[in-house]
Amino acid sequence: ANLKKMVEDIRDLMDREREAERTKNELITNIAHDLRTPLTSIRGYIKGVLDGVADTEEKRQMYLRTAYESTEDMNVLLQKLFDFSRIESGNVPFHMVPVDLAEFTSVYVAKKEERDKTGRVRFHLSAVRDGSTEIYMDTEQFIRIYDNLLENSCKYAGTEPVELWIAVKAKEGRVFLEWKDNGPGVPREKLGRIFERFYRCDESRSQKGSGVGLYVVESIVKRLGGRIWAENEGGLKLTLTFPGAEEWNGENTDC
């Protein structure tokens, strides 16, 4: 019996290692595919400057600005690769501190509105400011949640401006965050899969994206003791729920 269990354990370990290897290869393939677009853009525009195609100062500035924006796209993709690798390895320390989620969200939205002068994103924030929405969080990781949710809405809403309705409220010892956009939503049969590693509703890969953004979000939410789910409500609506600070039963320090 012991020998049989040992064989099963070895087989399970080999299966997990094969799955980990397949996951790593798939991630590398996805990132490499998505890096090709900004890299081609950078090379093309810089060559245009060097070859004199950009023959006015205005054109040169436009070419260089476009090339720079493409480096930003590459940076986002590489940051996703870094985040994913750290989460998969379990090598992400969380420094948990009590924070009022309503106040935190308000500051995040204000900063984004200040930086975005294009008007491509419009925020509608509804947050209860009575102290009932305090939770334990790692602030750096929570910003990562918001950045990924924002990028996901901007990428897939397919409309301009992107309208975002964000609500923070407390109920029965839990704190709820609702994030809804004005996009087309997700086909019902795909709703349950959007948090999977590398899953993209657009299988043709005609849209940019590594398919790890919402997976990273769910992973962080779980580490914070929360849950996340998706539904269609005039657009994609994501609901995140966390234990209120008084209900928190985890470590309040690095974990």
Side-chain angles (χ1 to χ4, degrees):
N2 286 341
L3 180 59
K4 184 181 177 184
K5 186 175 186 313
M6 194 182 302
V7 170
E8 288 176 353
D9 287 346
I10 291 171
R11 189 178 291 132
D12 286 345
L13 178 62
M14 290 175 69
D15 286 345
R16 284 199 298 274
E17 286 179 348
R18 273 196 294 268
E19 174 62 20
E21 186 66 22
R22 187 193 66 77
T23 294
K24 184 177 73 174
N25 290 338
E26 192 172 352
L27 175 63
I28 291 169
T29 300
N30 284 2
I31 294 290
H33 180 283
D34 291 329
L35 282 173
R36 192 173 295 130
T37 301
L39 185 57
T40 300
S41 172
I42 292 166
R43 289 182 65 185
Y45 281 103
I46 289 178
K47 192 171 188 305
V49 172
L50 293 174
D51 291 351
V53 176
D55 53 5
T56 66
E57 183 58 29
E58 186 180 355
K59 265 191 182 179
R60 280 191 290 274
Q61 287 294 324
M62 188 271 285
Y63 275 39
L64 291 172
R65 187 164 53 249
T66 306
Y68 176 76
E69 287 169 359
S70 293
T71 68
E72 293 287 283
D73 291 340
M74 291 179 74
N75 190 49
V76 168
L77 285 165
L78 291 171
Q79 183 62 49
K80 276 217 168 51
L81 176 60
F82 181 63
D83 292 344
F84 177 83
S85 299
R86 290 180 74 205
I87 284 171
E88 285 293 282
S89 67
N91 189 29
V92 186
F94 275 49
H95 181 60
M96 305 296 283
V97 292
V99 176
D100 187 323
L101 185 57
E103 184 63 33
F104 182 87
T105 306
S106 176
V107 170
Y108 178 87
V109 168
K111 284 181 178 177
K112 288 297 176 185
E113 287 178 329
E114 186 182 336
R115 287 178 196 161
D116 178 28
K117 305 299 183 187
T118 64
R120 289 176 190 161
V121 181
R122 291 180 187 164
F123 292 92
H124 308 277
L125 177 62
S126 165
V128 177
R129 304 274 188 92
D130 60 4
S132 65
T133 57
E134 187 173 79
I135 65 172
Y136 274 90
M137 70 161 76
D138 177 297
T139 54
E140 182 184 338
Q141 296 300 332
F142 217 97
I143 288 172
R144 193 149 284 143
I145 287 176
Y146 276 162
D147 284 348
N148 278 310
L149 292 179
L150 179 58
E151 185 192 6
N152 189 73
S153 290
C154 290
K155 192 180 294 171
Y156 296 112
T159 182
E160 196 169 304
V162 175
E163 304 265 358
L164 292 173
W165 289 269
I166 304 168
V168 181
K169 51 195 173 187
K171 184 180 179 184
E172 297 174 358
R174 296 193 70 82
V175 177
F176 291 81
L177 166 69
E178 294 174 354
W179 181 287
K180 187 170 86 73
D181 62 44
N182 62 333
V186 174
R188 186 178 298 174
E189 68 276 9
K190 297 181 179 182
L191 263 178
R193 300 193 60 195
I194 64 173
F195 301 109
E196 292 178 13
R197 282 181 301 199
F198 313 130
Y199 185 73
R200 296 157 50 99
C201 293
D202 170 35
E203 285 92 349
S204 68
R205 298 187 64 85
S206 61
Q207 289 176 294
K208 292 187 296 181
S210 57
V212 300
L214 290 182
Y215 170 76
V216 167
V217 168
E218 186 185 46
S219 299
I220 296 171
V221 168
K222 284 181 175 176
R223 282 284 299 272
L224 297 176
R227 288 176 53 230
I228 181 171
W229 63 91
E231 57 195 311
N232 287 314
E233 191 181 285
L236 180 63
K237 177 183 173 185
L238 298 170
T239 304
L240 294 71
T241 175
F242 304 91
E246 293 182 1
E247 303 292 321
W248 174 255
N249 58 7
E251 294 293 327
N252 301 344
T253 54
D254 290 350
C255 61

